[in-house]
Amino acid sequence: MTLPPADPLPDPPVLSDAARWRTFLWLWGSQALSVLGGGLSAFAMNIYLTQSRFPLEAQKPELAAALALTGLGWGAAAILGAPLAGALADRWDRRRMMITCDLLGALLLVLGVLMVTLGTPPVWLLTLFTVGLGLVGTIHGSAFDTSYSSLVTRDRLPRANGLMQTLWSLSGLLSPALAALLIGLPALARQGEVPLLAGTLAGLPDGVALALGIDAASFLLAALVVSRLHWPQPPRRDGGRARPTLAQDMRFGWTFIGRRPALLHLLLTFAGVNLLTSGVGVLHPLLLRFTLGVPADGTGAALATVWTALSAGGLLGGLLVSVTGGLKRRRVLGVLVPMIAAGTAHALSGVAGSLPLTAACVLAFGVMTPIMNAHSQSIWQAQVAPELQGRVFSVRRLIAQFTAPLSTVLAGLLAAHGGAGSILLWSGVLMAVLATAQLLNPHLRRVEDPLPEAPPLTA
């Protein structure tokens, strides 16, 4: 992917603090539409695999493998592409990067529509599709994350981070129900329940293509909004040395984090949590089908209930941080204490025994997640200069999330031969124990201390 050079762009106008916040809200709103579209297509693909491709109980191993491979494809591309994405975010114009990625995402989704409407795509092709979306998403995410921290004043960062967490939760809250509705529309059209759409939708086997198409439209709308916004790009400071190469920029974040043990310990804590919890995309459908006994034709509604509960909790937690601004001091407690509570809720979700109780446990997990994530993000934004955040945050993302694809694979392998409920139980117990132990970690207790002067970083 190549971008037009950023040099010909005129300098953006100097913005007041109020104008910066308004620009952030427009930026946030445009990405909210795109994230909602992404939630629609992701949920639709899971229902497609569960209800259309592998609906039989005898196909449990194939379903587990398909869910794991498509989840792994997206996650691996997003994580392994992070160092490149971060280096580009510190080298290129971040606004243009976001527009380009939005357009590429729309193109990929149009190809996805063709893929599911012209035949029955093999699992390997669906996996490649999610790989492309994951790579585009991580480049877009690096440009977005480093842009809004340059827009928002430091005292408003916790509130902005709360809104960012709310964005993802709002998408998760709305997208399952909308995706379930979209997937069922063609069948309703064939039954004459929606006469206005009968001629358009009756020929589709399900609404997966419709969900992918709406996601593509959301990307195009986001690109249009971003094209009308302007914000400052922090200047690079390379200490008077020649500008590093792309490869050197990709190594820079490792050097920065390696010299700061407190930040590294925080990252490794999240890496452990992601190893223990990132397999829920595989485990929840299997828990519903084979532990709680939900029939195949009811899996979509049951899964929508659970994921809606997760996102409703996330919305509540994100709003709580947005309204209160979170902890002003000892923010590490805002990370670890909610982490303990989330691990407990995760464990209970595996043994709740009924759909309502499982959803309640998942909701409690969802409340805690944005609280700990927003406090962690605020710590990082306070410790890393804006012009370094692309390179540093990309390595941060890789270290914290490199265990997520492994978690997805392990969840698929273990669940194919065991119970999803027991996996949720023991992974939640281990998460709570890990977070409790970190309360005694001297490095984490000092993670918010001013960073000591370090020798000039070389790539």
Side-chain angles (χ1 to χ4, degrees):
M1 177 177 57
T2 60
L3 291 178
D7 294 339
L9 285 176
D11 292 334
V14 177
L15 301 176
S16 66
D17 289 347
R20 285 171 177 251
W21 183 251
R22 286 195 300 271
T23 300
F24 164 74
L25 291 177
W26 275 104
L27 185 62
W28 177 85
S30 70
Q31 298 315 299
L33 293 173
S34 181
V35 169
L36 175 60
L40 284 176
S41 58
F43 192 86
M45 290 300 295
N46 274 291
I47 298 302
Y48 171 71
L49 292 172
T50 304
Q51 290 188 179
S52 300
R53 291 296 300 275
F54 305 106
L56 304 178
E57 185 169 351
Q59 295 176 311
K60 177 183 175 182
E62 290 90 342
L63 173 60
L67 290 168
L69 284 171
T70 51
L72 177 64
W74 190 94
I79 294 170
L80 296 178
L84 173 63
L88 295 178
D90 283 347
R91 298 172 73 90
W92 289 350
D93 182 86
R94 293 166 180 173
R95 173 174 161 272
R96 288 190 172 189
M97 284 180 66
M98 291 176 62
I99 295 171
T100 302
C101 288
D102 282 332
L103 295 177
L104 286 175
L107 176 60
L108 279 172
L109 287 159
V110 170
L111 294 176
V113 170
L114 296 176
M115 181 173 62
V116 298
T117 54
L118 297 180
T120 303
V123 172
W124 65 263
L125 186 57
L126 294 173
T127 302
L128 285 179
F129 173 66
T130 60
V131 166
L133 289 177
L135 186 58
V136 170
T138 196
I139 295 174
H140 181 280
S142 287
F144 182 48
D145 289 346
T146 53
S147 292
Y148 82 83
S149 61
S150 300
L151 269 173
V152 179
T153 57
R154 178 163 296 192
D155 62 311
R156 282 180 166 175
L157 277 176
R159 189 163 278 112
N161 290 327
L163 283 172
M164 294 306 303
Q165 294 297 317
T166 302
L167 185 157
W168 294 100
S169 300
L170 185 62
S171 167
L173 180 64
L174 298 176
S175 59
L178 290 176
L181 174 63
L182 291 172
I183 286 176
L185 277 180
L188 293 175
R190 287 191 290 271
Q191 296 168 8
E193 298 292 335
V194 281
L196 292 178
L197 300 176
T200 305
L201 301 178
L204 296 175
D206 51 48
V208 174
L210 184 59
L212 296 179
I214 291 175
D215 191 10
S218 74
F219 272 105
L220 293 175
L221 183 57
L224 177 62
V225 173
V226 173
S227 70
R228 308 298 297 175
L229 301 176
H230 298 277
W231 59 85
Q233 172 104 351
R236 284 188 60 130
R237 298 179 178 88
D238 294 311
R241 300 182 299 274
R243 187 177 188 181
T245 65
L246 179 61
Q248 290 172 328
D249 270 350
M250 291 173 66
R251 294 194 296 268
F252 177 89
W254 295 98
T255 307
F256 184 97
I257 293 172
R259 294 184 178 185
R260 292 156 177 86
L263 293 177
L264 181 59
H265 279 254
L266 182 61
L267 284 182
L268 293 178
T269 301
F270 274 93
V273 168
N274 286 328
L275 176 64
L276 295 169
T277 62
S278 294
V280 293
V282 176
L283 295 175
H284 281 165
L286 298 174
L287 179 76
L288 296 173
R289 282 284 308 278
F290 304 109
T291 301
L292 300 184
V294 176
D297 59 0
T299 303
L303 191 59
T305 298
V306 171
W307 286 5
T308 298
L310 177 66
S311 299
L315 181 61
L316 291 174
L319 289 174
L320 178 63
V321 179
S322 300
V323 171
T324 65
L327 296 178
K328 306 300 185 292
R329 296 182 298 108
R330 300 298 303 274
R331 285 175 175 156
V332 69
L333 294 178
V335 175
L336 296 178
V337 174
M339 195 177 284
I340 296 170
T344 303
H346 187 73
L348 292 175
S349 71
V351 294
S354 68
L355 180 59
L357 289 178
T358 300
C361 294
V362 170
L363 184 144
F365 181 92
V367 170
M368 296 298 110
T369 302
I371 297 175
M372 63 186 185
N373 286 341
H375 283 94
S376 174
Q377 180 77 346
S378 296
I379 291 171
W380 280 90
Q381 289 168 331
Q383 297 287 71
V384 182
E387 69 272 12
L388 306 178
Q389 287 181 6
R391 287 164 285 175
V392 175
F393 282 15
S394 64
V395 175
R396 166 199 172 196
R397 186 180 301 113
L398 191 154
I399 294 174
Q401 298 180 5
F402 83 96
T403 54
L406 178 60
S407 176
T408 301
V409 172
L410 288 175
L413 292 175
L414 294 173
H417 304 288
S422 62
I423 299 172
L424 289 166
L425 169 64
W426 289 109
S427 60
V429 169
L430 289 173
M431 176 180 172
V433 170
L434 171 64
T436 301
Q438 294 309 304
L439 288 171
L440 306 176
N441 185 330
H443 290 291
L444 283 185
R445 289 203 301 268
R446 298 193 300 269
V447 73
E448 296 166 84
D449 292 349
L451 293 176
E453 288 295 327
L457 286 169
T458 59

